Amino acid sequence: MTICEIFDIEQIAPLHQLVYGKSFPYESYNKKVKEHHVYLYAYYEEESIIGYSIVIDQAEERNLYAWYGGLLPEYQGNGTTTKFFDIMVRRARDLNYGSITLASTNCRPHMLRLAIKYGFDIYDIKKRDYGEGNKIYFRFSVLPDTKLTIRLHDGENILRQVDVERILVSAYKNNCREITFEDVQDKNDENIIRYAIKYCNSFIHKPVLIINTTNQDLQQEISKYNKK
């Protein structure tokens, strides 16, 4: 499967009917083209188009807005949307933009889960009692790569599992690519590290983990994690 930028809306408009069960919104599309630069993407499986995305360049807000997109049902769940998010992040970085936004509804729980797992935050909800239900707005902050050191022992303070989870979530939101754990002293600390490995495995973009410990079994676990 490949994702390519295209320049003809007619290549992807017919898919809208197949994905959403209604005609492509040409009136809204033409209005957006007059007001903003618009990027079109087609998802290909061999030579067949199986999905698409339409992205609005909101230059004044330094934001890319994923306005419409969809994938044929038989190709959903294979990582295609994640690859598209990666493309948007790269484009936003090239433009020196600070964010990416999108909207979905509570009738599309798979999309909600994927956006949150990727690192999007919910920033607004528009309640509706009709159609596809509440409309949920997401924002992803485009940040530079960062590194983090976590000290399990800081004087009399000892980090608990819940503390480490909170730190890991914050690090993920801040595009942390490398996390070093210091002061691994005892069995409890090793259990926390194992929990951190398991937790980071749930991320789409996993940070590299570095552990300062003499426990060879734990070092092997970290090595296997970093190779995945």
Side-chain angles (χ1 to χ4, degrees), residues 76-139:
Q76 294 176 1
N78 63 357
T80 302
T81 304
T82 297
K83 292 178 182 178
F84 169 66
F85 287 166
D86 289 343
I87 288 173
M88 286 188 67
V89 170
R90 288 196 295 271
R91 173 145 256 165
R93 287 184 185 279
D94 290 343
L95 293 168
N96 197 29
Y97 283 6
S99 61
I100 295 166
T101 54
L102 58 88
S104 190
T105 72
N106 56 358
C107 292
R108 297 178 179 273
H110 62 286
M111 187 62 188
L112 306 185
R113 290 193 297 268
L114 179 59
I116 291 172
K117 186 175 182 180
Y118 192 88
F120 283 83
D121 287 316
I122 296 174
Y123 74 91
D124 197 10
I125 298 177
K126 184 181 293 183
K127 294 185 177 181
R128 300 185 299 190
D129 298 323
Y130 58 90
E132 294 187 334
N134 296 337
K135 194 167 186 180
I136 303 169
Y137 295 87
F138 292 90
R139 177 183 287 114

Side-chain angles (χ1 to χ4, degrees), residues 161 164-165 190-200:
Q161 198 172 87
V164 172
E165 179 180 324
E190 292 169 5
N191 288 336
I192 288 179
I193 299 301
R194 289 188 170 90
Y195 174 78
I197 295 172
K198 182 178 180 180
Y199 198 83
C200 289

